[in-house]
Each structure stands twice: as structure tokens, then as C-alpha cells.
Amino acid sequence: MTTPRIGQSVRGSTTGRPLMVALDLLGRRTALRVLWELRGDPLTFRALQDACETNTRLLNTRLTELREAGLVEHAEGGYRLTDEGRRLSKALKPLADWAEKWGDGKR
């Protein structure tokens, strides 16, 4: 599977619109988990793998995709969110808040 790109067909959409590309990328297994685990201090590959409870191959794939999308970078200390990755985290906050309220009504 290749990294989704704006303007190209993605899973569920032939338009390549930015929202559809973002949803394709974020919907991939462990992608959101990687972003979640990187919300704080940088993590080494091994620490990130342990935190995500995933295997080496899948984590490498997701990190490649997230790096190509400009959301994650590798720097001193390990992997961390880029400015764009932090903007995405802030953008997801209202969705997370909604999900908590929605989930409370389902219990």
C-alpha cells in the first residue's frame, strides 16, 4: 500500500480530496496509535513499538507514511510530531471530546 496523496485516488474515494486522503491515512492500522503515542516527548523506535504494541514491519510502514505526509519526523531523541502533526492532534480534540460523550450514552 502506498502513502495516500492529495489529488490521487485513495481507499473509498477517487477524488483525492484532502479530507478523503487524510481519512485514508488515519484509518490505517496503528496510524492513530502512533500519533497518540507521539503526543509527548520523542520516542525511540523501540519505545514507540512497545507503546503501540505492534510489530517492526507495520511500525516501519506507518512511520514511513506519516513522515511522507509531514506529520512525523525523526530527530534527536527519536520520533516526534511535526508542527503539522501537532496541528492535527489539536484538530482531532473536538472529535475525541464528542466520542467520549457519545460513548457515555452507550454504556
Side-chain angles (χ1 to χ4, degrees):
M1 199 175 282
T2 61
T3 303
R5 299 198 188 289
I6 295 170
Q8 296 179 355
S9 294
V10 295
R11 289 181 306 152
S13 174
T14 58
T15 65
R17 290 190 176 120
L19 179 60
M20 298 307 294
V21 173
L23 291 174
D24 181 1
L25 178 63
L26 298 177
R28 293 178 177 197
R29 190 168 44 139
T30 73
L32 284 171
R33 179 70 184 265
V34 169
L35 296 173
W36 173 259
E37 297 300 343
L38 293 177
R39 70 195 183 284
D41 293 331
L43 294 174
T44 64
F45 183 88
R46 180 67 62 198
L48 185 56
Q49 182 180 6
D50 291 344
C52 292
E53 301 174 351
T54 191
N55 64 65
T56 302
R57 184 173 181 215
L58 180 58
L59 182 57
N60 269 320
T61 299
R62 289 303 164 255
L63 284 171
T64 297
E65 293 169 348
L66 293 169
R67 288 174 77 180
E68 288 178 1
L71 301 174
V72 170
E73 64 186 357
H74 186 265
E76 188 173 327
Y79 291 91
R80 64 180 181 194
L81 295 178
T82 62
D83 289 341
E84 196 65 37
R86 285 189 292 281
R87 281 186 36 193
L88 172 60
S89 290
K90 288 179 185 175
L92 290 173
K93 177 82 171 89
L95 179 60
D97 293 343
W98 170 83
E100 284 297 320
K101 291 177 186 171
W102 177 71
D104 286 345
K106 300 291 182 186
R107 294 180 195 178

